[in-house]
């Protein structure tokens, strides 16, 4: 079953066209990796999918679970099963992590037509997930991401994902900032969620993560477009050769040489 | 000893009377016919004279730059000697059960609707003025009436109000709610000028919730003295929830003696035009004086907090901590000053004011001031306004939290730091509930 279908997607941010015609189809059960140079539009793609204001779709279409995404507010996308683990998680002083998780989970459950969790059931669930991710419960009392280290923030994203049980999880560089052990723990968390009904879009710069989370498909995003799509071996190839082949500079240089 | 200030102003005899002030004073004469203690008569006279000369302040006055009085001065308010007939069922239920409650209707103390906690004496201002020795000292510490027209106007009408006293050494355990319920009218909008006193004897303790609520058009102009004798402790939680058409002006004169402590919180959401002014005098050493507050404004409301904290002697600790949310075309004003006199070494004074603007037309004005004459002190101040954090809002929404709920969550968390100054959990819970209700507007 097709879960996400992106057709000729163009998007601007801050008046600049960043996505210049993306085509991508993700089926349920699949893991897609997206790699690409800095500034190529990976985070932009993830924000467009999550519905961040200011990221304007100028052309093309995105369908998620058969629904036109553009018509949905960010919270409705979340309820429909979309989840974005942020590259830079946001700090929210004054809102405790537990209160945040509970509000989010119950809001999503309500929208999905499920009953809100009782406080006891919520705490049980939270405790279970915390243990899986090897997190410190003390962090739950603090403001969301406030005073968290880079790695702790990423773990917190993984925790939210585990609690919300999305259908499509977009992980935007969730591996960066994690130490080797944490990377394993978080990857295990992701693998635990893998199922035939779920899909993942994993944005990363490093092959290392893909050793733990085996992708079915690897895409290269450069200059706002998918430049190449292949199997897991493509990631290894990139690790070796870098992105020179896809960057605008290289293309220019190649063009100059041929003259 | 308390500061005893002279209440006559030499210039009053020389300056001309401002004709426009006279309608505001004409009802004061009705009071003159009633018997009263000499000091009450003198106070009325001095107040009337001061107001007759100055009238209401204009934006040219120091401290009145931002708060414009048209909604008040454009309406004809009149004082009534008699309280209006009313139905007791309109009174809101007490905020917390197990509290005792004192009720004032249009500024007039209503003993038949009131009860006092054990250890607390409550009586009308007029009764107290003749029955309580030394009370005058706390009710006439008026400073320069020529600079405080609302206080002067209130003085001219000295008659209504209530006096709450706690004897030396009494720690009152029961909570006291003081409800000012005001019944307005569009045809004959009343002016209310209650004068009140909370007087805590040495080493006594009391917790008060002072509520201001009502219906229709009225002008509530309150003067409240708070006298804290050595080592006494007052928790003073105010709820300014006046009717949407009302004007609320209150002047709180707090005088703290040695090692006394004051913890105040003011929640301001009511009235179309309101100003709460505090003059907190820490006249001895070792005093703690914390005043925090939250204002939540919408439509075309204008609210002003003007706070002076004045440290006279060493080892004082003071806080002014206000947070506000301003929506629609509403305007907020915060003017805070910490004054540290030469003798007040080791003063620790902090002032913080933050306003969150929820609409493009909302406005927040600040005037934060520190005036320090002692050299060994720790003082800070900060004031800023900002908007809701878009990034945080999107983050919450991306987790499935609906936009409106996400906004409320961010606003609550913004207000929480000020609310954290309230050390009494049941009252903090009431405030939280009020804020949540406001956010659903
Ligand atoms: N608000 C904005 N205004 C203008 N340009 C923006 C804005 N946000 C992003 N951009 C630009 O869009 C381009 C793509 O940014 P994006 O964050 O999507 O890159 P990325 O592929 O995620 O890079 P990285 O690997 O460094 O995370 C960059 O050139 C960036 O400067
Ligand atoms: Mg990025």
């Amino acid at each position: 079953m097709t879960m996400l279908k992106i057709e000729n997607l163009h998007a601007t941010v801050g008046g600049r066209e960043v996505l210049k015609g993306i085509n991508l189809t993700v089926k349920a059960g699949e893991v897609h990796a997206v790699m690409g140079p800095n500034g190529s539009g990976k985070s932009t793609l993830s924000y467009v999918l999550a519905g961040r204001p200011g990221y304007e779709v100028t052309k093309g279409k995105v369908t998620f679970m058969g629904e036109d995404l553009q018509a949905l507010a960010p919270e409705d996308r979340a309820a429909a099963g979309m989840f974005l683990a942020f590259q830079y998680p946001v700090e929210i002083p004054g809102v405790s992590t537990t209160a945040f998780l509970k509000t989010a989970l119950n809001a999503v459950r309500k929208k999905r037509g499920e009953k809100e969790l009782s406080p006891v059931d919520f705490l049980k669930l939270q405790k279970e997930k915390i243990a899986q991710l090897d997190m410190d419960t003390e962090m739950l009392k603090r403001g969301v991401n406030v005073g968290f280290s880079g790695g702790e923030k990423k773990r917190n994203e993984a925790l939210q994902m585990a609690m919300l049980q999305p259908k499509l999880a977009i992980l935007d560089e969730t591996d960066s900032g994690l130490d080797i052990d944490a990377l394993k723990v978080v990857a295990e968390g992701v693998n635990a969620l893998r199922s035939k009904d779920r899909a993942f879009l994993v944005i990363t710069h490093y092959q290392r993560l893909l050793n733990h989370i085996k992708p079915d498909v690897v895409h290269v995003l450069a200059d706002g477009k998918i430049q190449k799509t292949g199997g897991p071996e493509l990631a290894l190839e990139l690790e070796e050769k870098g992105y020179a082949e896809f960057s605008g500079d290289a293309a220019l240089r190649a063009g100059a040489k041929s003259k | 000893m308390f500061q005893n200030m002279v209440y006559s102003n030499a210039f009053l005899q020389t300056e001309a009377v401002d004709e426009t002030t006279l309608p505001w004073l004409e009802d004061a004469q009705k009071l003159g016919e009633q018997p009263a203690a000499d000091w009450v008569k003198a106070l009325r006279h001095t107040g009337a004279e001061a107001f007759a000369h100055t009238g209401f302040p204009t934006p040219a006055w120091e401290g009145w730059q931002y708060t414009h009085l048209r909604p008040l001065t454009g309406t004809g308010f009149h004082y009534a000697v008699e309280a209006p007939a009313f139905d007791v069922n309109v009174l809101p239920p007490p905020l917390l059960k197990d509290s005792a409650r004192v009720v004032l209707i249009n500024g007039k103390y209503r003993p038949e609707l009131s009860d006092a906690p054990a250890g607390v004496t409550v009586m009308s201002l007029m009764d107290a003025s003749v029955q309580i020795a030394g009370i005058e000292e706390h009710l006439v510490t008026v400073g320069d009436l020529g600079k405080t027209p609302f206080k002067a106007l209130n003085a001219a009408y000295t008659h209504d109000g209530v006096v709450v006293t706690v004897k030396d050494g009494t720690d009152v355990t029961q909570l006291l709610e003081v409800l000012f319920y005001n019944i307005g009218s569009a045809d004959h909008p009343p002016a209310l000028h209650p004068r009140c006193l909370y007087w805590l004897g040495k080493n006594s303790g009391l917790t008060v919730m002072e509520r201001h609520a009502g219906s229709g058009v009225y002008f509530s102009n309150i003067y409240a003295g708070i006298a804290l004798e050595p080592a006494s402790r007052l928790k003073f939680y105010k709820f300014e929830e006046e009717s949407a058409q009302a004007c609320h002006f209150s002047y709180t004169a707090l005088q703290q003696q040695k090692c006394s402590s004051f913890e105040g919180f003011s929640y301001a959401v009511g009235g179309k035009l309101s100003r709460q002014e505090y003059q907190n005098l820490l006249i001895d050493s070792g005093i703690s004086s914390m005043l925090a507050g939250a204002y939540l404004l919408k439509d075309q409301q204008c609210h002003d907090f003007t706070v002076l904290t004045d440290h006279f002697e060493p080892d004082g600790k003071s806080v002014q901590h206000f947070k506000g949310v301003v929506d629609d075309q509403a305007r907020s004003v915060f003017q805070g000053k910490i004054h540290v006199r030469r003798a007040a070494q080791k003063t620790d004074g902090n002032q913080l004011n933050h306003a969150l603007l929820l609409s493009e037309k909302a406005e927040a004005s600040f005037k934060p001031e520190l005036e320090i004459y002692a050299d060994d002190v720790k003082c800070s101040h900060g004031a800023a306004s900002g908007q809701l954090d878009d990034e945080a809002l999107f983050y919450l929404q991306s987790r499935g939290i609906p936009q409106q709920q996400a906004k409320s969550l961010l606003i609550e968390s913004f207000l929480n730091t000020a609310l954290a100054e309230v050390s009494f959990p049941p009252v903090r819970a009431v405030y939280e509930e009020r804020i949540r209700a406001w956010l659903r507007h």
Side-chain angles (χ1 to χ4, degrees):
Chain A
M1 190 196 87
T2 299
M3 182 166 278
L4 179 72
K5 190 161 192 202
I6 306 175
E7 295 162 277
N8 190 28
L9 177 67
H10 290 248
T12 57
V13 49
R16 220 182 112 191
E17 181 166 67
V18 176
L19 302 185
K20 303 170 183 171
I22 300 228
N23 290 292
L24 186 67
T25 301
V26 179
K27 292 206 175 77
E30 290 180 344
V31 174
H32 289 232
V34 176
M35 304 181 81
N38 294 132
S40 57
K42 303 183 297 298
S43 293
T44 302
L45 175 63
S46 73
Y47 285 142
V48 168
L49 293 176
R52 182 169 183 164
Y55 289 70
E56 202 191 329
V57 174
T58 49
K59 217 197 257 179
K61 194 175 172 199
V62 183
T63 324
F64 177 58
M65 311 282 297
E67 259 192 284
D68 181 1
L69 251 199
Q70 269 209 253
L72 298 182
E75 56 265 38
D76 295 326
R77 298 180 192 204
M82 170 93 69
F83 180 89
L84 167 62
F86 283 53
Q87 182 176 2
Y88 304 108
V90 182
E91 297 189 6
I92 310 180
V95 180
S96 79
T97 304
T98 296
F100 164 64
L101 287 172
K102 196 165 152 190
T103 311
L105 184 58
N106 281 332
V108 163
R109 289 181 69 98
K110 204 168 145 190
K111 281 217 166 129
R112 291 177 185 165
E114 297 164 23
K115 250 185 40 211
E116 293 197 357
L117 277 189
S118 75
V120 175
D121 288 342
F122 169 80
L123 288 175
K124 260 194 212 151
L125 182 68
Q126 180 177 260
K127 202 170 155 196
E128 178 196 317
K129 302 298 177 193
I130 281 271
Q132 273 174 17
L133 286 162
D134 201 12
M135 283 173 72
D136 189 351
T137 48
E138 186 271 334
M139 277 166 50
L140 297 172
K141 293 182 199 135
R142 281 195 251 159
V144 176
N145 293 322
V146 177
F148 287 25
S149 74
E152 285 169 345
K153 284 181 183 169
K154 293 303 175 74
R155 273 191 214 218
N156 197 13
E157 294 294 287
L159 173 65
Q160 291 165 44
M161 179 174 67
M163 296 289 285
L164 293 175
Q165 303 267 311
K167 292 209 162 65
L168 173 69
I170 305 161
L171 309 181
D172 190 356
E173 296 196 28
T174 301
D175 51 336
S176 58
L178 289 177
D179 65 41
I180 298 159
D181 296 335
L183 184 72
K184 263 192 206 148
V185 171
V186 169
E188 273 164 25
V190 171
N191 287 330
L193 281 175
R194 280 183 83 157
S195 81
K196 63 176 178 22
D197 309 317
R198 283 207 180 85
F200 292 84
L201 200 59
V202 181
I203 297 170
T204 183
H205 284 295
Y206 308 106
Q207 155 64 25
R208 200 180 58 187
L209 177 70
L210 303 179
N211 287 338
H212 297 285
I213 307 172
K214 291 258 178 308
D216 300 299
V217 188
V218 175
H219 306 275
V220 180
L221 176 61
D223 193 26
K225 275 189 187 154
I226 303 285
Q227 308 280 359
K228 194 168 180 180
T229 295
E233 72 289 344
L234 179 54
L236 290 166
E237 196 183 311
L238 290 169
E239 186 105 319
E240 213 170 285
K241 296 195 197 147
Y243 298 110
E245 183 188 340
F246 310 105
S247 79
D249 274 6
L252 269 180
R253 255 180 269 125
K257 258 187 228 157
S258 69
K259 271 192 188 153
Chain B
M1 270 311 290
F2 286 96
Q3 291 292 113
N4 214 339
M5 297 188 192
V6 191
Y7 56 86
S8 71
N9 292 282
F11 75 88
L12 289 182
Q13 277 86 54
T14 56
E15 273 183 30
V17 167
D18 174 356
E19 296 288 326
T20 64
T21 63
L22 296 180
W24 292 90
L25 291 166
E26 80 197 5
D27 306 304
Q29 279 165 15
K30 294 177 200 158
L31 290 174
E33 294 146 23
Q34 304 204 348
D38 284 348
W39 69 265
V40 171
K41 287 183 184 159
L43 181 60
R44 287 176 187 158
H45 179 75
T46 321
E49 236 184 282
F51 187 78
H53 285 96
T54 65
F56 288 109
T58 67
W61 285 44
E62 160 109 45
W64 290 93
Q65 205 178 328
Y66 306 112
T67 296
H68 303 161
L69 300 176
R70 178 125 337 177
L72 172 69
T73 54
T75 311
F77 289 102
H78 287 284
Y79 177 79
V81 179
E82 301 301 326
F86 87 107
D87 177 0
V88 285
N89 294 317
V90 303
L91 295 184
L95 287 176
L96 287 173
K97 60 178 192 326
D98 305 327
S99 60
R101 176 148 98 164
V102 165
V103 177
L104 293 91
I105 304 295
N106 285 20
K108 294 169 195 336
Y109 171 49
R110 299 293 288 262
E112 77 281 12
L113 300 174
S114 304
D115 60 328
V120 177
T121 307
V122 179
M123 60 176 87
S124 74
L125 176 76
M126 284 296 96
D127 287 348
S129 70
V130 291
Q131 289 178 30
I132 301 180
I135 193 165
E136 152 183 17
E137 196 181 4
H138 303 306
L139 283 164
V140 186
T141 53
V142 289
D144 184 354
L145 284 179
K147 287 188 179 147
T148 50
F150 284 89
K151 209 160 74 169
L153 190 59
N154 176 288
Y157 286 92
T158 302
H159 181 268
D160 301 333
V162 71
V163 170
V164 173
T165 54
V166 182
K167 280 206 201 62
D168 291 356
T170 310
D171 202 353
V172 180
T173 49
Q174 195 181 13
L175 225 68
L176 173 62
E177 174 175 317
V178 180
L179 172 64
F180 290 80
Y181 193 80
N182 304 318
I183 298 155
S185 136
D187 302 335
H188 301 283
L192 324 167
H193 303 284
R195 182 162 281 247
C196 305
L197 175 65
Y198 299 92
W199 184 1
L200 271 63
K202 288 186 196 74
N203 196 27
S204 67
L206 180 67
T207 301
V208 173
M209 290 181 289
E210 193 187 272
R211 298 174 71 180
H212 301 265
S215 62
V217 187
Y218 56 86
F219 164 36
S220 179
N221 179 34
I222 306 135
Y223 174 91
I226 299 179
L228 302 183
E229 292 200 35
S232 63
R233 305 161 300 278
L234 177 65
K235 290 182 182 171
F236 188 73
Y237 302 125
K238 186 158 168 166
F239 294 78
E240 194 270 90
E241 301 174 301
E242 303 279 23
S243 106
Q245 296 104 329
C247 297
H248 172 103
F249 285 76
S250 61
Y251 191 99
T252 304
L254 167 66
Q255 284 218 17
Q256 291 189 248
Q257 293 195 46
K258 201 176 178 76
C259 297
S260 61
S261 79
F262 174 79
E263 176 188 306
F265 191 91
S266 183
Y267 171 66
V269 295
K272 63 177 170 186
L273 172 65
S274 47
R275 166 151 158 148
Q276 292 185 39
E277 193 163 345
Y278 291 81
Q279 184 198 52
N280 303 342
L281 307 183
L282 286 60
I283 62 170
D284 209 326
S285 58
I287 291 166
S288 162
S289 190
M290 328 285 269
L291 181 62
Y295 47 94
L296 288 79
L297 311 176
K298 57 182 166 125
D299 303 328
Q300 302 192 352
Q301 282 182 292
C302 172
H303 186 277
D304 174 336
F305 269 114
T306 295
V307 182
L308 165 72
T309 303
D310 195 346
H311 290 261
F312 286 62
E313 297 289 335
D315 302 318
K317 182 173 165 50
S318 72
V319 167
Q320 299 175 3
H321 186 171
F322 290 82
K323 288 255 169 136
V325 177
V326 191
D327 204 352
D328 304 326
Q329 284 127 276
R331 300 183 56 233
S332 73
V333 179
F334 173 82
Q335 308 184 100
K337 180 169 176 173
I338 302 178
H339 186 220
V340 182
R341 300 188 183 224
R342 202 176 303 272
Q345 299 295 359
K346 307 273 182 211
T347 288
D348 181 348
N350 291 292
Q351 184 194 90
L352 200 65
N353 182 293
H354 288 153
L356 195 59
L357 303 176
L358 296 184
S359 95
E360 292 202 344
K361 293 206 171 123
E363 256 182 73
S365 307
F366 308 105
K367 197 171 143 205
E369 282 179 281
L370 293 177
E371 199 175 321
I372 300 172
Y373 298 98
D375 44 31
D376 184 14
V377 301
K378 216 174 78 197
C379 284
S380 68
H381 70 340
S385 63
Q387 275 105 37
L388 271 185
D389 180 350
D390 285 344
E391 267 206 335
L393 191 62
F394 172 62
Y395 191 66
L396 293 172
Q397 283 182 262
S398 78
R399 298 309 182 236
I401 301 171
Q403 189 180 52
Q404 209 45 47
Q405 196 185 349
K407 279 187 182 172
S408 296
L409 202 60
L410 291 176
I411 296 169
E412 277 174 52
S413 69
F414 166 78
L415 296 171
N416 265 341
T417 53
L419 218 50
E421 307 273 0
V422 176
S423 69
F424 189 61
V427 171
R428 196 166 58 229
V430 173
Y431 281 132
E432 280 165 359
E433 211 176 276
R434 294 302 227 235
I435 289 168
R436 254 174 246 136
W438 188 89
L439 288 171
R440 286 193 291 267
H441 80 254

